[in-house]
Amino acid sequence: MRSSYNNSGAVSIASHNVRHKKKLVKILKPYLFLAPITIFTILFSYFPFIKTFIFSLSKVNVAGEITKFVGLDNYIDIWRRPDFINAIKVSLKFAAMFVPLAVICPLVLALIANRAKFMTKFYQTCFALPMAVSMSATCLIFKQLLHRRVGLLNYLFDKLGVYENTTAIDWLSNAKWALPALVFIMIWTGIGFNFMLLLAAVRNVPTELLESASLEGASYWQKVRKIVIPVISPTLFFVLCTQMVKGLTMSGPVMILTDGGPLGATTTMIYYVYSTGFKSTNYALGSTASICSFLIAFVFLLFNFKYEKRGVNYD
């Protein structure tokens, strides 16, 4: 009897331990899946950000070593620098041109692709094609298209008689046209992804709403304005926020095509961070500019979210 009792007790304890282990595995399983991305996020996002913030409060030598804690002196100094103020103005100007077009253009293409019946898949493939081309390759392609002497755009303008009384424009070296040229390039590189997002949203608009509006005599644009846009407003808001961040932190095309010129006309905030922190090895100034750029972009995002409930419909 005692042996039987001991065996049953051991089985009960073993069964309890198995259940406990299964419960523990069930609790830990989500965290184990999150562990790799969490480690990478800490190493490549949060740690660099914290280090950058510490550098912005210090004097740093060319070897990247902190020599002295200076508090807010770097921040006071950078707001007195005309080159940094110019970088802020250029970034805001770029975002003001880029963001509306980066939202409207893919929306129009999504409406066209959703309405088109003939060769629909061809339209969708063409509109989404920019996603398949890297930023560097796109910039090199546009560098040839916008070339003053051999560029296709100037060739077409010349054939159309635009340059009869003027010389061809050197698009990427002209202080007036360099920034709009970069806006056009950035819109082209991002239009594919935004088009796919908005096309999916447009196709999820309830057909019964559109049919009811048609029966009441609503035109196509009335349906778009009164039904489609309110229904897809969460997706539009997401695209708006991502493109605003993209516009305020743009640097890739500047590094590849203009190097901040001509005369600082395309020196954005992030390119300023790159040029001062990496090219000039002024790590304290570059770190301070980086934190200021982050705060400016963050303020604009907060402004967007402040008005989210007024313009975004989640019902």
Side-chain angles (χ1 to χ4, degrees):
M1 290 292 293
R2 181 174 296 177
S3 175
S4 175
Y5 176 78
N6 289 338
N7 288 338
S8 63
V11 170
S12 176
I13 293 172
S15 176
H16 174 75
N17 289 336
V18 169
R19 288 196 303 269
H20 180 71
K21 287 180 179 179
K22 287 183 177 180
K23 185 177 180 181
L24 185 63
V25 169
K26 188 176 181 181
I27 293 172
L28 293 177
K29 192 174 182 180
Y31 298 100
L32 292 175
F33 282 116
L34 287 172
I37 189 62
T38 303
I39 293 170
F40 275 96
T41 302
I42 292 171
L43 287 177
F44 296 103
S45 293
Y46 293 113
F47 175 71
F49 180 83
I50 293 170
K51 189 174 182 180
T52 300
F53 180 69
I54 294 172
F55 275 15
S56 71
L57 300 174
S58 313
K59 280 189 176 181
V60 186
N61 60 25
V62 293
E65 299 169 345
I66 296 175
T67 59
K68 183 181 179 182
F69 179 78
V70 296
L72 298 177
D73 288 353
N74 289 334
Y75 290 93
I76 296 171
D77 176 64
I78 198 171
W79 286 101
R80 294 173 179 171
R81 298 178 68 95
D83 52 354
F84 182 65
I85 300 300
N86 174 70
I88 294 174
K89 290 179 180 178
V90 170
S91 292
L92 294 177
K93 185 178 178 181
F94 179 89
M97 292 187 287
F98 169 76
V99 175
L101 292 174
V103 176
I104 294 171
C105 290
L107 175 60
V108 171
L109 294 181
L111 293 173
I112 292 171
N114 184 61
R115 196 177 186 189
K117 303 299 181 183
F118 179 68
M119 299 179 68
T120 303
K121 294 192 180 295
F122 175 76
Y123 285 118
Q124 294 174 18
T125 303
C126 289
F127 296 158
L129 189 61
M131 285 195 302
V133 186
S134 67
M135 170 69 75
S136 57
T138 299
C139 290
L140 293 176
I141 291 169
F142 275 98
K143 186 176 182 179
Q144 293 300 315
L145 292 175
L146 299 174
H147 195 277
R148 183 173 186 174
R149 292 189 300 273
V150 297
L152 178 61
L153 184 61
N154 280 336
Y155 174 79
L156 293 175
F157 281 176
D158 183 55
K159 291 299 181 182
L160 293 172
V162 176
Y163 295 138
E164 286 183 358
N165 300 319
T166 57
T167 57
I169 298 173
D170 194 356
W171 296 94
L172 296 173
S173 299
N174 186 293
K176 180 180 178 181
W177 293 106
L179 198 64
L182 294 181
V183 169
F184 182 78
I185 293 169
M186 284 292 291
I187 289 171
W188 195 89
T189 58
I191 201 168
F193 181 71
N194 294 330
F195 161 73
M196 296 297 291
L197 286 175
L198 292 171
L199 179 62
V202 169
R203 286 183 171 172
N204 282 325
V205 176
T207 54
E208 57 269 20
L209 294 178
L210 299 173
E211 290 172 356
S212 299
S214 297
L215 291 174
E216 293 178 3
S219 66
Y220 175 76
W221 290 111
Q222 286 177 327
K223 288 186 286 185
V224 169
R225 187 164 56 90
K226 297 292 186 180
I227 298 175
V228 175
I229 290 179
V231 172
I232 69 170
S233 57
T235 306
L236 280 173
F237 180 71
F238 172 78
V239 172
L240 174 66
C241 290
T242 54
Q243 297 312 295
M244 179 166 288
V245 173
K246 192 174 182 180
L248 290 171
T249 59
M250 187 275 292
S251 62
V254 178
M255 295 180 186
I256 299 170
L257 296 173
T258 65
D259 203 27
L263 302 175
T266 60
T267 300
T268 60
M269 292 187 293
I270 303 303
Y271 182 79
Y272 184 85
V273 172
Y274 165 75
S275 62
T276 55
F278 291 93
K279 294 178 71 175
S280 303
T281 64
N282 191 338
Y283 299 117
L285 180 61
S287 299
T288 307
S290 178
I291 297 297
C292 290
S293 302
F294 163 76
L295 292 174
I296 290 170
F298 185 68
V299 167
F300 274 91
L301 271 183
L302 286 180
F303 182 79
N304 276 359
F305 278 97
K306 181 179 179 180
Y307 291 94
E308 175 194 8
K309 293 182 180 179
R310 297 185 183 182
V312 181
N313 178 28
Y314 291 103
D315 296 331

